[in-house]
Amino acid sequence: MNEIWQIFTALFGMAVFIFLLLQVVYLLIFSLAGKFYKEKKYPQKLPLKRFVLYIPSYKEDGVILDTAMNALALDYPKELVHVVIIADSLQPSTLIKLRAMPLQVVEVSFEKSTKAKALNVALDQTKEVFDYALVFDADNVAASDYLYRMNEAFSQGHAVVQGQRTAKNKNTPMAILDAISEAINNHIFRKGHRVMGLSSAIIGSAMGLEFKLYNTVMRELTAVGGFDKEMELYLLRNKILVDYCESAIVYDEKVQKAEVFEKQRKRWLSAQIKYLKKHFFNGFYELFKNGNLDYFDKVIQMAIVPRVMLIGLLPVALGISLIPGAAPQPFLWLLIMAMGYLSILIAVPGSYFNKDLLSALTLLPKGILSFVSVIFKLKGANETFIHTPHGTIEEETKKTKDSK
């Protein structure tokens, strides 16, 4: 019996090692590739296309007015931009202020709110014809030249373009940690993938699609959570590549509190598992039957353990390998841990290596434990819209006091 147990633990340890090794190698390859990314050169004068900008806002009274004003102030001919605020459960005073602005307000109400539902209602009420549709989150603030940069990127013939989403705030250690995570994603899953000739990952905001394609895609989306994943899988299965435009910058509010971090990651992890189950075998089928490498790659991405968990798993695995009879040997786990941490460090922009990084790193253990706890709270998460509130810590504190 003891021999059987030793064989089982050895095989299990080797299986876990291979599983994590493949993930670490994947991350390291694309992390290194991201270092070779270069923005394309565009002609100085290009025809200016018409954009419609959709901004869904669910209970985001604290940020939506600033977001709307920023969208209206973007440096681009005003007659070529149409801003649509999709108002779901906003306060009457907020609606009055929005309707006083030169934009379209689409008021929606659902028994169960979702981003896909809100965007589809707004699409139904879009009467004009545009060249491209853009999607922002309610807290997104774009750089003034964002539309010019997106216009340049679309001029290359791509039907879908993801802009660079980056941190709007770095005012707490948690926000810094969240900002670093976003930057790593940009490096590995956008820059690195485009260097290797693969599709850029989309985020769910700061992105744009050809308007006709957007109209087609949106009618197919029904996700409660994971709107961006459902859209991306649809695009890639139909062999529609997503380009990345690093110079098209949109600032996104980063999570400032641990409880919001946990809520957000619960939504993301739940969607990741749901779509991995749904598309896993199709990914292999499409690769071998139709040569669809982009779709297969996206399925592989969804099988990757979240980096926060990976950071915690590797030293735990190394510690277990020190137990007599464990397999594989500790030096192999040490090697894979070094590769995993290197892939992450390479992807972190140099601007983040400062004194604030140390305070952010102290939250890593809490983040790891939070992710572990999330695993046990995923039941039903895809059946309910999980809202992540935005606004400063001071604003959230005031809201809490006012509600008491």
Side-chain angles (χ1 to χ4, degrees), residues 123 130-133 154 158-161 208-221 231 234-236 238-242:
L123 184 57
F130 297 90
D131 296 301
Y132 301 103
F154 278 120
H158 295 291
V160 188
V161 176
L209 294 82
E210 286 184 351
F211 187 76
K212 290 182 180 179
L213 174 63
Y214 176 80
N215 188 38
T216 301
V217 173
M218 285 307 306
R219 305 307 184 186
E220 301 294 325
L221 305 187
M231 174 181 279
Y234 177 91
L235 292 170
L236 297 181
N238 286 280
K239 296 188 175 182
I240 300 170
L241 185 140
V242 180

Side-chain angles (χ1 to χ4, degrees), residues 170-184:
K170 302 172 190 175
N171 54 329
T172 69
M174 183 61 73
I176 294 170
L177 206 60
D178 197 18
I180 292 172
S181 178
E182 182 98 90
I184 292 172

Side-chain angles (χ1 to χ4, degrees), residues 245-307:
C245 185
E246 187 179 30
S247 62
I249 299 172
V250 171
Y251 300 97
D252 178 74
E253 185 177 308
K254 297 294 107 183
V255 169
Q256 301 177 55
K257 297 186 290 184
E259 55 267 31
V260 180
F261 176 89
E262 183 174 313
K263 183 186 291 188
Q264 186 185 68
R265 266 53 184 185
K266 178 182 178 181
R267 186 179 75 232
W268 292 355
L269 187 58
S270 177
Q272 180 176 331
I273 294 171
K274 172 187 174 181
Y275 289 107
L276 174 62
K277 289 178 180 178
K278 186 175 181 180
H279 293 266
F280 182 76
F281 292 108
N282 284 336
F284 285 90
Y285 176 82
E286 287 292 329
L287 175 66
F288 295 115
K289 180 70 164 48
N290 300 316
N292 194 336
L293 182 59
D294 264 318
Y295 180 63
F296 174 75
D297 174 71
K298 177 51 59 177
V299 172
I300 295 301
Q301 280 182 38
M302 291 189 294
I304 294 177
V305 174
R307 285 185 308 277

